[in-house]
């Protein structure tokens, strides 16, 4: 019975060899895990200590939020505003967890530990698998590889920050966000999703000169409800419907 549950088809595709799943998961885990070095350097350059930097990677473990936090601090932002921006970026992982809990169907005792690995990369690898067995393998290998490498390279980056010098001259602070965008871009498959992304960029970048560091990230979160509202209004109005003002004339 347990074996039947582990191999249930979750996407309508054919079974995938375990070796292929492990290969793909290792590729993602290693590629993204190495960018932890950039976070370690950036965090140390923003004024955080070695223990603080390593604690962020060990306990928070979501790259976009970590870079948002240290980036706002490095720009002189209020710590509470920086933390709020990082928090709202991390909220997306809760929605990932709702979906992954159905696909993985892990035992209750394992779920609190697995929750630490619910991030963009593990979600992407898991959702790409055709069976529950492959999904579990992909999630586990990606999560373990990425967690170990990210924390190891964070430590190395924080230790080597002084030797590197000014992190802004190397552009290492852009490495994490660049990796995040590279993973996000292929997922924008609908017009609404692209509109949300474009509006968020316009709000975030356009408000940088006018608002304190960390605040533009919070404002950019308004892109989603705004785009969904406009999309809903258009969907509710058919091609033959006339505006209310026209009907009253």
């Amino acid at each position: 019975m347990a074996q039947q549950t582990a191999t249930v088809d979750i996407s309508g595709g054919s079974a995938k060899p375990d070796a292929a799943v492990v290969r793909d998961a290792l590729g993602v885990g290693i590629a993204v895990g190495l960018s932890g070095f950039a976070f370690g350097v950036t965090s140390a350059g923003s004024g955080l200590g070695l223990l603080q930097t390593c604690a962020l990677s060990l306990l928070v473990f979501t790259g976009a939020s970590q870079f948002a936090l240290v980036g706002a601090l490095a720009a002189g932002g209020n710590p509470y505003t920086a933390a709020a921006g990082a928090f709202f970026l991390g909220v997306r992982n809760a929605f990932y967890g709702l979906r992954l809990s159905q696909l993985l169907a892990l035992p209750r005792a394992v779920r609190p530990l697995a929750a630490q690995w619910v991030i963009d990369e593990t979600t992407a690898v898991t959702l790409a698998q055709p069976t529950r067995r492959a999904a579990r393998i992909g999630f586990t290998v990606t999560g373990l590889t990425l967690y170990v490498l990210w924390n190891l390279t964070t430590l190395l980056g924080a230790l080597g920050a002084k030797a590197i010098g000014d992190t802004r001259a190397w552009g290492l602070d852009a490495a994490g966000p660049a990796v995040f965008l590279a993973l996000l871009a292929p997922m924008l498959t609908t017009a609404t999703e692209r509109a949300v992304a474009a509006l968020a960029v316009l709000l975030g970048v356009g408000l940088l000169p006018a608002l304190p560091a960390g605040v533009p990230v919070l404002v950019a979160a308004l892109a989603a409800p705004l785009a969904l509202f406009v999309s809903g209004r258009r969907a509710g109005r058919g091609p033959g419907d006339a505006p209310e003002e026209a009907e009253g004339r």
Side-chain angles (χ1 to χ4, degrees):
M1 178 64 69
Q3 181 66 21
Q4 292 176 353
T5 301
T7 57
V8 64
D9 191 315
I10 59 177
S11 69
S14 58
K16 187 175 182 179
D18 292 351
V21 179
V22 172
R23 181 192 63 227
D24 294 342
L26 283 174
V28 173
I30 293 173
V32 180
L34 293 178
S35 64
F37 182 84
F39 170 73
V41 172
T42 304
S43 179
S46 69
L48 295 183
L50 177 63
L51 291 179
Q52 292 172 315
T53 298
C54 292
L56 278 174
S57 284
L58 285 168
L59 302 177
V60 178
F61 188 55
T62 174
S65 296
Q66 292 178 231
F67 273 103
L69 175 64
V70 299
L73 293 176
N78 183 287
Y80 295 104
T81 303
F87 171 79
F88 281 109
L89 278 175
V91 166
R92 70 190 187 282
N93 294 337
F95 295 98
Y96 293 161
L98 293 175
R99 177 58 175 153
L100 294 188
S101 65
Q102 299 174 349
L103 296 181
L104 298 174
L106 296 174
R108 291 185 179 273
V110 180
R111 291 177 188 176
L113 299 175
Q116 179 69 356
W117 290 354
V118 177
I119 54 177
D120 301 293
E121 295 80 9
T122 54
T123 301
V125 172
T126 302
L127 294 179
Q129 307 311 319
T131 64
R132 177 162 293 156
R133 173 182 174 82
R136 288 177 172 178
I137 294 174
F139 177 84
T140 303
V141 175
T142 305
L144 178 60
T145 305
L146 185 49
Y147 191 77
V148 171
L149 271 181
W150 181 267
N151 282 281
L152 178 60
T153 54
T154 293
L155 174 61
L156 294 176
L159 291 174
K162 292 184 179 179
I164 291 178
D166 186 2
T167 58
R168 291 173 296 183
W170 291 81
L172 293 177
D173 55 334
V179 172
F180 177 73
L181 290 175
L183 290 168
L184 177 64
M187 300 173 67
L188 304 177
T189 56
T190 67
T192 301
E193 291 169 350
R194 297 189 192 99
V196 170
L199 183 56
V201 170
L202 289 176
L203 289 173
V205 176
L207 294 174
L208 278 177
L211 297 178
V215 177
V217 175
L218 301 178
V219 178
L222 296 174
L226 287 175
L228 291 175
F229 174 76
V230 173
S231 177
R233 294 274 294 186
R234 290 181 176 177
R237 178 183 296 173
D241 294 341
E244 295 179 0
E245 295 80 2
E247 293 177 355
R249 292 177 183 174

